[in-house]
Amino acid sequence: MAAENLFDVWARRNPKWEAKFEESLLRVFTDYGVGASELTTAKGKALGAGYELFIYAFFIGLYSDKKRELVGETKTFGQPVQYWGNLDSKKFRKAYPRLREYIFTALVAKTNGLDLISLEKGEISDSQAVDMLKDTMEQYANYGFYYMEEKLKNNPNYFFKTSGFLNVILRLVQPSKIDEEIEVL
């Protein structure tokens, strides 16, 4: 039987991301390294902490059902998942702890080779299971980062539109919608 709650073990981890995205995405759209502040929107940043863009990238990968291995130099946010979105911000945003639960649930469902029965029997450790979950999370997010970078190469202003970030997710979760319909939102 698992010695600890798998969610808690996973939440204490700090996923990696490719360092190449720091300048092209994280510093452009977030207050990476600073956190959310009342100056965020004044500086044109769509998001607060860097992990918010990681979460967005993760959902792009998840909804696309595409992963990409990390290559080259990697970094972490210096803050484990358990603290992501756990406080109300100065930007009048509410904490979003449930989002971590949704991410974890998606990871359990989508992680190839994760055998919960083997975990329960002690045939694999909590740490081994969490390594698999974390790897899946990193690969989905990495695909999402490459996806965003490609969008910016094709249209440098794409995410600076009011609905730029929203349109990407809507196209992935509502693929039957015609792009013009989504643009109206």
Side-chain angles (χ1 to χ4, degrees), residues 53-95:
L53 192 62
F54 183 96
I55 292 168
Y56 181 76
F58 166 79
F59 280 106
I60 289 173
L62 178 70
Y63 291 146
S64 299
D65 198 23
K66 294 183 181 174
K67 299 183 238 180
R68 187 169 179 155
E69 292 278 341
L70 278 72
V71 296
E73 181 186 351
T74 59
K75 295 183 100 173
T76 66
F77 294 110
Q79 188 174 46
V81 174
Q82 68 189 2
Y83 299 117
W84 291 9
N86 66 340
L87 299 173
D88 291 342
S89 77
K90 294 176 185 172
K91 290 178 65 171
F92 306 106
R93 285 199 235 164
K94 297 290 182 193

Side-chain angles (χ1 to χ4, degrees), residues 87-122:
L87 299 173
D88 291 342
S89 77
K90 294 176 185 172
K91 290 178 65 171
F92 306 106
R93 285 199 235 164
K94 297 290 182 193
Y96 45 89
R98 297 284 309 230
L99 189 57
R100 291 189 304 269
E101 295 171 18
Y102 299 144
I103 292 169
F104 177 78
T105 302
L107 290 171
V108 169
K110 299 295 276 183
T111 298
N112 295 330
L114 178 61
D115 183 348
L116 296 177
I117 302 299
S118 293
L119 177 65
E120 188 70 18
K121 290 179 176 181

Side-chain angles (χ1 to χ4, degrees), residues 133-158:
L133 295 170
K134 185 174 157 277
D135 183 57
T136 299
M137 183 180 190
E138 291 167 347
Q139 287 187 44
Y140 275 136
N142 200 42
Y143 173 82
F145 281 132
Y146 276 94
Y147 181 96
M148 285 187 280
E149 190 174 66
E150 189 62 30
K151 282 275 189 205
L152 289 174
K153 283 179 187 172
N154 293 331
N155 178 355
N157 295 317
Y158 186 87

